[in-house]
Amino acid sequence: MSAPASGFPSPVGSRASTSAPTSAELLDFVRRTAADSDLVASLPLDPEGRTWVRLEGPRGSEAWLIGWPPGTGTGWHDHAESVGAFTTAAGSLKENSLAVRLPTDGWKTLELTEGVDRERKLATGQGRAFGRNHVHEVLNESPTEHAISVHAYYPPLPQIRRYSRTGAVLRLEHVERPEDWQ
């Protein structure tokens, strides 16, 4: 990954309320932020690695503006106990996800049953919200075009669990903490 950019203004953010934002509120935030064409255009893009900048999300949430070079992706992961949302601000992204609740701790390898795989194509302006422990991967499958997206999570990411997948077998590979990506 490329080094994070800095110095971007917060497009939206309010700390007036102390209640936790819902995933629907996070989705509204990422949609409004993705519609800020000046902010989206200000993200430096790297031809080989993802770029990102942290934004202030609503009511203490964590938000990111992310640039995706052609052919890049996240790999399988989850956001632990955080709820979240993301919207494609430019280009197109694909999300593969699992429609199953996984155990949160105490396992290294799981065999998935048939019918748990979901696939979504998210063109510019399209997004989705998700709940806790949502396992997915996000990909820019374009061979030539960058994509840009806006993501928000609450509570701010305590960890990201990374997985590998071979057929129906999902394996927990490692856990990242905030100091690993900030």
Side-chain angles (χ1 to χ4, degrees), residues 60-72:
S61 63
E62 177 175 356
W64 297 89
L65 179 65
I66 301 175
W68 305 76
T72 60

Side-chain angles (χ1 to χ4, degrees), residues 32-112:
R32 286 184 287 115
T33 304
D36 182 340
S37 58
D38 289 339
L39 176 68
V40 171
S42 71
L43 180 67
L45 300 177
D46 182 312
E48 297 180 17
R50 287 188 295 153
T51 53
W52 60 89
V53 63
R54 188 170 180 166
L55 306 171
E56 183 180 340
R59 299 198 313 274
S61 63
E62 177 175 356
W64 297 89
L65 179 65
I66 301 175
W68 305 76
T72 60
T74 61
W76 287 95
H77 67 283
D78 71 20
H79 303 283
E81 293 299 314
S82 296
V83 298
F86 71 99
T87 293
T88 304
S92 179
L93 292 171
K94 175 183 170 184
E95 180 198 35
N96 294 318
S97 63
L98 301 178
V100 62
R101 187 101 158 132
L102 300 179
T104 57
D105 291 308
W107 66 277
K108 289 289 281 178
T109 303
L110 289 175
E111 187 164 341
L112 303 169

Side-chain angles (χ1 to χ4, degrees), residues 116-129:
V116 300
D117 288 297
R118 300 293 182 265
E119 178 182 302
R120 284 183 175 88
K121 301 271 186 173
L122 301 165
T124 299
Q126 295 180 320
R128 69 165 339 278

